Amino acid sequence: MNPLRLEYWAQILNCMAAKSKPLSPEWIEVLVDCPGAQGLYTYRIPPALAVTPGDILSVPFNSQQLGAIAVRYLTQPDLNLDLIKPVEAVISTGFFSSSYWQLLDRIAEYYQTPLMQVIRTALPPGLLARSQRRIRLKPAPSPPATLLSASAQSLLAHLHQSTTGDYTWQYLQRQQRGAHRALQELLRHGWVESYLAPPQTAQPQKRQVVTLTAKPADESLSQRQQEILTGLQRQGGELWLSDALQLLQTTSATLKRLAAKGYLSLEAREVLRVGSHSTAAADQPKTLTAAQTQALAQLNQLEQYVTALLHGVTGSGKTEVYLQAIAPRLNCRQSALVLVPEIGLTSQLTDRFRSRFGERVCLYHSGLSDGERYDTWRQMLSGEPQVVIGTRSAIFVPLSNLGLIVLDEEHDSSFKQDQPAPCYHTRTVARWRAQQANCPLVLGSATPALETWVEVQSSRDSQGQRDEAAQTVYLSLPSRIHNRPHPPIQIIDMRQELQAGNRSIFSRSLEEAIAALPATGGQGILFIHRRGHSSFVSCRSCGYVMECPNCDVSLSYHQPHDQAEPYLRCHYCNHYQSHPSRCPECASPYLKNFGSGTQRVVSEIAKQFPTLRCLRFDSDTTRRKGSHRALLTRFAQGEADLLVGTQMLTKGIDLPQVTLVGIVAADGLLYMPDYWASERAFQMMTQVAGRAGRGERAGQVIVQTYTPEHPAVQAVQQQDYAAFTEAELQDRQALGYPPYGRLILLRVTSPDPIAVKQAAEDFASKLEAIAAASDCDILGPAPAPILRVARRYRWQILLKLPLSALISDLSCLRQHCPDRVSLTIDVDPLNLS
């Protein structure tokens, strides 16, 4: 063949080979560690530098060199290429796995939220700021030091002065001008290396511990001081100071006076900041029932991604199944993630898990301090097998080698975030994470969400057997431990109570049951869905209602106890004001509070049953750190006869001594302005009813309502989950609501009532083309049920879609947002108000 022709084909083949080679990425988007920095920033990757998403980088930012997290590659930046600065160095490789960023990307895409907002939600505050970039000498440098510049030799001399050959980068910058160029030269020639280290605090964290040193036998002690010492003795003679203040109901000054008299000691003790200070005793696996054994055997066979619904009635021992399913995975050096809906549940669950697994259990939720969250996060990066217990934010923790994810009380609405964006549902993200880790996901509940129930049931064939091709498993625990009976549920028609002349908030049956508690030695739980004393305050002369100046809602009446000064508070914006003596409208003194809340129930208990001891368990009494644990501990140790609370009481609390549950006002749950109000009411009433009779003594449940004929109330009395779901699903299917359709809620807010209305109308007109292409119904725009909250006016648009429809371009509406108008896109909303 002609040599020229050979050369021509050789050139063609070389070009084809060059095109077939994967091109190295040239640009990377990073999250810069700088207060006030918005969004992701683009940097060029130098040819000699290997950068992978998840690495910690050093980048130039304005006039500084800052730490940054590599988030994702960029194929073609939307910037002038000459303005893009290069990455300076890789400080730490593989700080995050690449799959972690894929998860965050998926969340951003599905929930139509900027990736930056997802990152802010996922990462603990100050993650990079709390870490230190350090420089250390390498053992075999090249070339000889004499060939280095004077500034590089000077920096090298500083490092040699350290006994470890290691200094923080901040320290070296302070020691020498031009340290940046000197460091680049040393890195280039292999004299030093840069790495990221956790902060070495000068002082370890310490907590005050209170220790009993003498028995309360001195007659000079007051009765209250003797009670404090006796209480401390009952607690084993030692408590953390924060726990002692809550459990003993005392002050630091009182404890210091007792310490001065020699009855106790106060000393600082070092602790690791991992979000829990449980002292629970060691525990051994319990003997399982036949149903538990079968469920555990099926779980232990699952080695890949499967969603398993553990449908167990209240008191059936779901937690013990979790514990025994996690144990073999820990032995195989796999980690487990256990998610619960409320912070209040984490303490009791953590105690039980720590009793079984010791210090391999850690806690993660938004109620921890920034330092605790940071330390827990870094502990998880170690790769050691561990169990993380947390609320919905814990779904983002960087656990590697995940062997199991558990979503306890999976039906609970607390797993859905309404604001700020992303409005994610923990159950959905947990599925994605389990798929990534290729590990089982266990959804546990006595009253599964209808979406979960339909998904699991649809994967089983007509004979009730599991479809092997489906990725779901149904596990049933149909009876309580030791075959304890379910408590009988009595429905009280409050209309008949009123006709009989009973104007109390308690029916005659509930009054009798409460009065009988001391004689039987049992304890009771009273559930009401509202905190505070009363729902609103109105003038009986002119009808004026006290309203929040910032929101279109009435102010709730609060009075912690009879001797306390009453006040008014808004439960939306937290506005607070004193209770007026006269009507602001007509100056009448006849102001009356209406409706009931936890404070009013406690007040009525004190009036009608003065000898009974009562504790209140709601968000007002559990604001302080550790208060959830303290209140439940006090109640479990018999310091109160009644526990009055809100929905916190419905979520997995195990109190075997409770024999009575009273639902004071069921109607407040039944008529919420949401499509799933009946489902939520059924779940909540069933869950709180399940707190009764979990011990040796039988329990009873009394439900007070003005609508005893409501299907949800009837289903609760009959304890028939299947019958309730069948009727509810028929209504959902007829209306095209989840789980037979999808919803997307657009919330538009602004301090300007005209601007927000106009923006909502503009968005609705832009949505018409999208709706036509995806068989989507547009409901609205319309004012939100509560038009104004925190001085911002609210309008909303609801999109109803078939399950198969996809809408991926709603986020483009944000480009059309006028000034002072904000748009929130809530995919799969639960709260429509």
Side-chain angles (χ1 to χ4, degrees):
M1 185 179 289
N2 189 322
L4 292 175
R5 192 168 181 82
L6 283 173
E7 185 179 351
Y8 168 78
W9 281 109
Q11 290 176 353
I12 294 293
L13 290 172
N14 286 337
C15 289
M16 291 174 63
K19 288 181 180 179
S20 66
K21 290 181 181 177
L23 296 175
S24 299
E26 296 184 53
W27 299 281
I28 189 84
E29 285 190 309
V30 307
L31 173 65
V32 178
D33 178 34
C34 179
Q38 299 292 323
L40 299 175
Y41 293 84
T42 303
Y43 285 85
R44 179 168 51 82
I45 303 175
L49 208 59
V51 176
T52 305
D55 291 348
I56 305 297
L57 313 175
S58 175
V59 297
F61 191 80
N62 294 333
S63 59
Q64 310 172 72
Q65 290 292 324
L66 297 178
I69 305 174
V71 173
R72 61 187 177 191
Y73 295 125
L74 200 61
T75 54
Q76 186 61 48
D78 250 354
L79 297 167
N80 185 337
L81 299 185
D82 295 332
L83 299 178
I84 300 178
K85 299 178 181 178
V87 173
E88 178 203 273
V90 176
I91 300 174
S92 178
T93 59
F95 195 83
F96 295 99
S97 67
S98 58
S99 62
Y100 186 81
W101 297 109
Q102 292 169 10
L103 176 68
L104 299 192
D105 257 330
R106 187 171 184 178
I107 294 168
E109 181 181 357
Y110 182 82
Y111 289 105
Q112 310 217 21
T113 305
L115 178 61
M116 187 65 194
Q117 287 182 248
V118 179
I119 292 171
R120 286 200 184 101
T121 300
L123 303 188
L127 179 65
L128 288 184
R130 290 175 176 271
S131 302
Q132 294 179 330
R133 184 188 182 187
R134 299 184 69 87
I135 310 299
R136 62 186 168 202
L137 292 168
K138 291 183 73 173
S142 173
T146 53
L147 299 182
L148 298 174
S149 67
S151 60
Q153 291 186 43
S154 175
L155 191 62
L156 201 59
H158 282 301
L159 285 167
H160 279 295
Q161 290 173 7
S162 168
T163 55
T164 60
D166 186 305
Y167 275 127
T168 68
W169 175 229
Q170 287 183 338
Y171 170 80
L172 292 173
Q173 286 178 303
R174 289 196 301 268
Q175 300 305 306
Q176 179 178 325
R177 294 184 62 182
H180 175 67
R181 288 187 178 180
L183 174 63
Q184 293 306 305
E185 187 175 351
L186 293 177
L187 287 169
R188 190 167 59 252
H189 290 303
W191 272 94
V192 298
E193 62 182 352
S194 172
Y195 70 100
L196 197 71
Q200 303 297 318
T201 52
Q203 296 293 328
Q205 183 183 4
K206 294 186 177 182
R207 295 186 78 198
Q208 290 286 325
V209 66
V210 183
T211 306
L212 186 68
T213 56
K215 293 184 178 180
D218 193 342
E219 294 182 358
S220 66
L221 292 176
S222 67
Q223 181 181 353
R224 180 63 187 133
Q225 289 175 325
Q226 290 181 5
E227 289 173 354
I228 291 170
L229 294 175
T230 303
L232 184 58
Q233 190 174 14
R234 277 203 306 267
Q235 297 290 339
E238 187 171 277
L239 283 172
W240 297 110
L241 176 59
S242 58
D243 293 340
L245 296 177
Q246 301 243 18
L247 291 172
L248 305 178
Q249 293 292 283
T250 185
T251 63
S252 297
T254 302
L255 294 178
K256 287 177 181 177
R257 284 194 291 270
L258 287 170
K261 293 182 178 182
Y263 286 97
L264 51 83
S265 67
L266 290 167
E267 61 177 354
R269 186 175 298 173
E270 183 177 341
V271 294
L272 177 64
R273 299 179 300 181
V274 291
S276 176
H277 307 288
S278 168
T279 56
D283 178 37
Q284 295 299 319
K286 305 288 190 298
T287 302
L288 301 180
T289 65
Q292 285 178 308
T293 301
Q294 184 178 358
L296 179 63
Q298 288 183 264
L299 283 177
N300 286 339
Q301 292 174 2
L302 305 179
E303 296 180 354
Q304 297 178 331
Y305 167 67
V306 171
T307 297
L309 172 60
L310 183 60
H311 184 197
V313 299
T314 54
S316 59
K318 292 186 288 294
T319 303
E320 185 63 30
V321 174
Y322 302 154
L323 287 163
Q324 296 197 30
I326 288 171
R329 288 169 168 84
L330 282 177
N331 294 335
C332 295
R333 298 194 60 76
Q334 292 181 322
S335 292
L337 178 59
V338 181
L339 301 166
V340 294
E342 288 274 1
I343 292 175
L345 285 179
T346 55
S347 58
Q348 196 175 43
L349 201 65
T350 302
D351 285 349
R352 190 161 175 189
F353 271 73
R354 279 183 176 267
S355 296
R356 193 70 58 89
F357 302 127
E359 293 304 312
R360 289 183 290 181
V361 178
C362 60
L363 193 59
Y364 190 89
H365 56 73
S366 59
L368 302 178
S369 68
D370 288 354
E372 285 172 330
R373 291 172 73 185
Y374 171 80
D375 283 0
T376 305
W377 187 280
R378 288 306 302 261
Q379 182 177 317
M380 286 181 266
L381 288 170
S382 68
E384 289 298 311
Q386 53 202 294
V387 181
V388 175
I389 299 174
T391 50
R392 64 176 180 244
S393 61
I395 191 60
F396 299 110
V397 296
L399 278 174
S400 58
N401 199 20
L402 259 176
L404 188 69
I405 300 176
V406 175
L407 210 68
D408 194 27
E409 309 296 345
E410 65 88 28
H411 65 274
D412 199 279
S413 60
S414 299
F415 281 125
K416 178 69 163 70
Q417 174 152 307
D418 287 329
Q419 58 178 350
C423 302
Y424 67 94
H425 199 301
T426 312
R427 184 174 57 234
T428 302
V429 179
R431 279 198 177 96
W432 296 340
R433 182 134 198 212
Q435 288 169 357
Q436 274 192 340
N438 199 24
C439 73
L441 168 65
V442 180
L443 306 177
S445 177
T447 54
L450 292 187
E451 288 89 341
T452 303
W453 181 255
V454 168
E455 178 187 0
V456 172
Q457 293 303 313
S458 63
S459 70
R460 305 167 75 194
D461 61 26
S462 58
Q463 285 74 39
Q465 302 298 317
R466 179 184 167 227
D467 179 358
E468 295 300 326
Q471 291 184 305
T472 60
V473 175
Y474 179 73
L475 310 173
S476 177
L477 302 178
S479 58
R480 286 184 156 191
I481 298 295
H482 306 307
N483 286 319
R484 294 191 179 103
H486 292 283
I489 298 175
Q490 182 182 3
I491 307 297
I492 303 298
D493 188 342
M494 295 301 286
R495 296 172 298 186
Q496 296 178 3
E497 292 292 311
L498 191 60
Q499 290 172 3
N502 180 14
R503 298 184 178 278
S504 167
I505 63 172
F506 303 128
S507 63
R508 289 164 294 179
S509 297
L510 186 55
E511 285 179 355
E512 292 170 5
I514 293 172
L517 284 175
T520 60
Q523 290 178 300
I525 285 177
L526 296 182
F527 167 77
I528 190 164
H529 70 288
R530 286 195 185 97
R531 59 189 171 103
H533 185 286
S534 303
S535 306
F536 65 97
V537 175
S538 177
C539 175
R540 286 183 291 177
S541 296
C542 70
Y544 178 83
V545 175
M546 299 292 298
E547 294 188 342
C548 174
N550 306 319
C551 311
D552 288 342
V553 295
S554 59
L555 291 169
S556 295
Y557 178 90
H558 284 251
Q559 189 176 21
H561 53 84
D562 288 343
Q563 286 72 41
E565 285 293 326
Y567 63 90
L568 306 178
R569 186 181 292 281
C570 175
H571 289 175
Y572 285 84
C573 72
N574 213 30
H575 169 78
Y576 168 95
Q577 69 183 58
S578 59
H579 185 274
S581 58
R582 292 182 174 273
C583 172
E585 187 74 13
C586 70
S588 167
Y590 301 112
L591 287 172
K592 180 176 174 57
N593 42 287
F594 296 86
S596 299
T598 50
Q599 288 178 2
R600 184 180 177 193
V601 173
V602 171
S603 178
E604 292 295 321
I605 289 291
K607 290 177 183 176
Q608 297 187 41
F609 308 96
T611 59
L612 291 184
R613 300 161 299 167
C614 192
L615 288 174
R616 185 158 57 94
F617 191 65
D618 58 24
S619 57
D620 288 332
T621 60
T622 55
R623 294 184 189 278
R624 292 177 58 185
K625 193 172 182 179
S627 53
H628 295 88
R629 180 194 295 273
L631 279 169
L632 290 176
T633 301
R634 290 175 59 198
F635 187 68
Q637 292 177 345
E639 292 187 26
D641 304 296
L642 285 168
L643 186 64
V644 178
T646 53
Q647 60 181 7
M648 293 180 182
L649 296 175
T650 69
K651 301 173 183 180
I653 295 174
D654 189 14
L655 299 167
Q657 68 277 23
V658 171
T659 57
L660 170 66
V661 166
I663 299 177
V664 177
D667 303 277
L669 300 170
L670 298 172
Y671 300 105
M672 298 289 186
D674 289 327
Y675 70 91
W676 70 300
S678 292
E679 179 187 358
R680 178 164 41 189
F682 172 80
Q683 290 168 342
M684 208 167 287
M685 288 189 285
T686 301
Q687 292 286 339
V688 74
R691 303 311 114 200
R694 297 167 77 97
E696 296 297 330
R697 286 175 290 191
Q700 64 172 320
V701 179
I702 297 174
V703 179
Q704 299 183 165
T705 175
Y706 285 92
T707 52
E709 67 280 358
H710 194 286
V713 176
Q714 291 295 312
V716 169
Q717 184 178 31
Q718 296 160 11
Q719 302 182 45
D720 193 342
Y721 174 81
F724 172 77
T725 57
E726 184 179 354
E728 182 70 12
L729 286 171
Q730 287 177 0
D731 293 341
R732 299 275 189 94
Q733 191 167 23
L735 296 171
Y737 280 116
Y740 300 107
R742 292 182 60 214
L743 298 178
I744 300 177
L745 183 66
L746 277 63
R747 295 188 180 95
V748 189
T749 68
S750 173
D752 185 340
I754 299 175
V756 70
K757 178 184 178 183
Q758 184 62 50
E761 291 172 348
D762 290 345
F763 290 148
S765 63
K766 288 180 172 60
L767 286 168
E768 288 178 359
I770 299 174
S774 57
D775 193 21
C776 167
D777 292 331
I778 302 176
L779 305 182
I786 301 174
L787 176 60
R788 188 172 58 112
V789 171
R791 298 186 178 181
R792 292 187 69 88
Y793 293 86
R794 313 184 321 150
W795 280 61
Q796 56 191 39
I797 304 168
L798 183 65
L799 306 182
K800 289 181 65 177
L801 303 86
L803 286 175
S804 58
L806 294 175
I807 293 185
S808 57
D809 53 355
L810 290 180
S811 56
C812 68
L813 293 175
R814 292 193 178 92
Q815 302 171 6
H816 305 284
C817 252
D819 293 340
R820 304 182 71 199
V821 173
S822 65
L823 170 66
T824 300
I825 301 173
D826 189 349
V827 178
D828 306 327
L830 292 183
N831 180 12
L832 301 183
S833 58

